[in-house]
Each structure stands twice: as C-alpha cells, then as structure tokens.
Amino acid sequence: MRVLLLATLVNAFGNGAYLTTSVLFLTTVAGLSPAMIAIGLSAGAAAGVLAMTPLGYIADRYGPKRLSILAMIVLAGSYAALLTVHSVLPFALLSCLIAIATALVKGANGALAAAGRLQMRAKMRTVTNAGMGLGTLAGSIPLLIHTPFAYVVILLVDASTFLVAAALLTRVPPVPPSTTPAGGPRLVALRDRPFLAFAALDGLLSSTYNDLFGIGLPLWLATGAHAPLWLISVALVINTAGCVLLQVRMARDVHDLPAARRSALRGTTVIALSCGLLALTGGRSPWPAATMIALAAVVHVLGELLLSTGSWGILFEIAPSWAQGQYQGTYFAGRGLGDMIAPPLVTACVLGLHSTGWLVLATLFAAGGLLYLPLTRWAATTRPALTPAALNV
C-alpha cells in the first residue's frame, strides 16, 4: 500500500504541474482557441463518464494492477502526443483517450485501495492533495518565465510521472481477478438502483462543493463581495492544508454504514453553514468580509472532509467485494455527471441571485444530506447482510 501511495503522489505532482499551465500550453504552443479547448474537454468528459463502469468491470475481471499499469503507459503517451496537436479534432480524440485511460486508472486504483478500505482511501486523498499542491508550485515557475519551451517542459514532466507511477505499481502486490457469481449480470452496478441513486446524489453534492471555492468564490469576489482577490489563494491554501493534515484523522471513526451515513450528513450540514457565511459577506466592508470568507473556507474544508469520508464509507459498504472496480467506476461516473451540472449551477446562483444564491446552495446541501438516510436504507434492504446495521440511525 505504501508503494501505491508513492505512485499516487508522483502522479498527482505531475498532474498538478500540468493543470496549472494547461490552458496556456494549449493556447500558446498548440495554438487552440478557447472554444476548441472547450469542445475537446467536453468530448473527453463525456467519453470518461461512458467508460467508467465498463472499465471498472474489466479491472475486476482481469485484475486491477496490470490494467492500472497499462492505463498509466497510455496516459504517458497521450500527454506526450499533445505536442503534435494543432487543431480541434486531434485534441478532441486525445482528450477522449486521456479520459478513458483516466477512468480505467480510477476504477483500477479504487479496487487496489479496497483492500485497505476507508483508511487507505483517506491516505490516497491526502497524498493526492499534497502532490497536487507541490505540482501547482512547480507549475507556477513556467508562468513566471512565460515561454512556450517552459510549458513544453512541464507537459513532458507530467508524461514522465505516469511512467514513474507505472514502474512503481509493478511492485504493488497483485489483486486477484474477481469472479462474477454465476447467473448474475456482468455490469451489476448499472442494475443496482439504490447505488445509482446514491452515486448521482453524491456526485452532484461532491462536484458542487468543489466548485464553491473554485468557481463561486472568484465570481463572488469579482461581482458581489467587497474583498481582495488574493482571498482565492488563501482559500486554496486552507483547503489543501486541511485535506493533507486532517483527512486520515477524519476517517478513523467510520467503520460501518451508519457511521458513514452520519459523517456524510454532518458534512453536508457544515458545507451548508459555509454557504451561509458567504451569503453574509455581501455588502460588507473589505476586512469584515475577508474575515468571514476565511472562516467560511475553514468551515468548508471541514465539511468537505466529513462528506468525502462518509461517501467513501458508503461506497465500500454497499459495493460487493467481487465488483469493487465497476462500483468504483460507476461512482466516478456520478462525479462526472456532477461535474457537468455543478459549474453552471454555481455560476447561476452566484451571478444571478447573489447573496440569495448562496442560501440556495446551502439549502441544496442541507436537503441533499437528508437523502443519505433513505438511500442507504434502501441499499441495505437489497443486501441482507447489511440490513440490521444499516437500519440503525
């Protein structure tokens, strides 16, 4: 498991560095317009969502380790191939290939992490945030230099981290391929209606909390709050530090489905509180508004940690042991759908409704959190072994 964490850290570093410079690489080196970039990324997002569950099934069927290594090698080549892109069609095709390979990595690594359950998932998220943070710092260097060569170097660094991660994964003990019970459907996750409802709800809420400070706060500072723009960086630092320092600790007390459900409900309640704090900053003078925004960032990351911990706990408890890959893939497909809905939702609330919009978002989290109880109970009734514990409040 330590090797898997190290591979995750290396890969997250490369991704963080590239994401910091990706738009400038695509515009200055590849010569793509913003519209072309949007088309390519949208095509990739759709391909990733469609591929998540089938690739998760393949990871279960043929063993997640070898497929994760294969996907890493494909990603290394795909990112390096971006150097040859100068029009929208090749970019869209590469975006689809990258999204499909990324979907395979997520499903396969989720199956590898399932052996360590919630603590392992929490550690993976911790090192992912740490790696992304370090990568973001490395990616800021080309922003200062601002030359095409610097952006190309970062792209090649990102591609090389996939190869390093693939090499590290060769040292991970293999997880035996899973055998689907005789007579059952192959893509059982797509027939599991309680799980699909959970994946859709959790995907929407998780994507939305990610966009509250990634999209909502910048728009709010530019249009509604009288506070300095550097608060965006402050909020990012608070979020990264909180995830790195507290994620594993948050997961220690979640050992069964009721505890996971309670954690998710507490998380949505706390995130709703952070939205309420942001609503109160409208019309205030700069320093009181800045203080409340910083406080909202602290509250937000605590809610995020509780919700993510609860979500993983629910996922591990209701997914069959022989189908972890496809359930992980379906869960990430729900996140993909949420990623399509959350940006316009947050934008419409902040720009269209201003302070009231933050209250609408708070209501979304408060109401959405209450749905975890009936959804997990519904799931438990279709899994007899879980029913007694899952019906406890």
Side-chain angles (χ1 to χ4, degrees):
M1 293 299 103
R2 291 178 181 174
V3 177
L4 180 57
L5 290 175
L6 181 57
T8 301
L9 178 65
V10 170
N11 190 218
F13 172 82
N15 288 337
Y18 174 69
L19 287 174
T20 305
T21 62
S22 59
V23 173
L24 289 172
F25 168 82
L26 293 172
T27 53
T28 61
V29 178
L32 301 178
S33 68
M36 292 177 179
I37 295 173
I39 291 171
L41 293 179
S42 297
V49 169
L50 294 175
M52 284 287 187
T53 303
L55 290 177
Y57 167 78
I58 292 173
D60 288 326
R61 180 67 179 81
Y62 295 100
K65 174 183 172 178
R66 68 176 71 175
L67 290 176
S68 183
I69 293 172
L70 173 62
M72 290 286 188
I73 295 172
V74 171
L75 284 168
S78 299
Y79 275 100
L82 286 174
L83 292 172
T84 66
V85 166
H86 299 289
S87 60
V88 65
L89 181 57
F91 176 60
L93 292 175
L94 275 176
S95 294
C96 290
L97 183 58
I98 288 171
I100 291 171
T102 301
L104 181 54
V105 168
K106 287 182 177 180
N109 284 0
L112 288 173
R117 306 291 286 182
L118 192 56
Q119 281 293 314
M120 184 59 189
R121 194 56 172 276
K123 291 176 181 178
M124 287 183 69
R125 189 167 193 261
T126 297
V127 299
T128 297
N129 278 280
M132 290 289 289
L134 294 173
T136 299
L137 291 175
S140 64
I141 298 174
L143 297 179
L144 296 175
I145 302 173
H146 193 50
T147 62
F149 177 75
Y151 299 135
V152 170
V153 169
I154 288 296
L155 176 66
L156 294 177
V157 167
D158 186 29
S160 66
T161 61
F162 286 104
L163 295 177
V164 174
L168 288 170
L169 287 175
T170 61
R171 300 174 55 196
V172 173
V175 175
S178 301
T179 302
T180 304
R186 292 183 176 181
L187 297 181
V188 64
L190 295 181
R191 296 171 179 259
D192 191 339
R193 289 181 293 175
F195 178 75
L196 291 177
F198 158 72
L201 171 67
D202 194 77
L204 175 61
L205 295 181
S206 298
S207 296
T208 304
Y209 77 60
N210 281 331
D211 288 342
L212 289 179
F213 281 76
I215 295 176
L217 180 61
L219 293 175
W220 184 236
L221 291 174
T223 61
H226 302 295
L229 292 176
W230 49 258
L231 283 168
I232 299 172
S233 298
V234 171
L236 177 62
V237 170
I238 291 173
N239 186 271
T240 302
C243 290
V244 170
L245 297 175
L246 300 176
Q247 184 69 78
V248 175
R249 181 176 299 178
M250 288 286 190
R252 289 177 181 170
D253 297 327
V254 178
H255 303 294
D256 54 22
L257 189 56
R261 183 174 59 223
R262 288 192 296 270
S263 181
L265 176 57
R266 290 167 183 164
T268 55
T269 303
V270 173
I271 294 173
L273 176 60
S274 73
C275 292
L277 289 171
L278 290 170
L280 294 176
T281 61
R284 295 185 180 272
S285 55
W287 285 110
T291 301
M292 295 184 69
I293 289 172
L295 177 60
V298 173
V299 174
H300 173 270
V301 72
L302 293 175
E304 176 183 338
L305 295 173
L306 286 166
L307 177 55
S308 59
T309 299
S311 299
W312 301 333
I314 294 171
L315 171 61
F316 283 128
E317 289 296 329
I318 66 179
S321 60
W322 48 267
Q324 284 290 334
Q326 63 170 290
Y327 270 76
Q328 296 276 346
T330 305
Y331 173 77
F332 283 115
R335 288 291 297 269
L337 293 174
D339 288 342
M340 297 179 187
I341 298 172
L345 172 64
V346 172
T347 300
C349 287
V350 174
L351 293 184
L353 300 176
H354 307 291
S355 292
T356 304
W358 287 111
L359 297 178
V360 171
L361 292 170
T363 303
L364 169 67
F365 283 102
L370 295 175
L371 293 177
Y372 282 103
L373 176 58
L375 283 180
T376 51
R377 284 184 170 178
W378 182 22
T381 60
T382 65
R383 296 157 180 80
L386 288 179
T387 302
L391 294 179
N392 292 330
V393 177

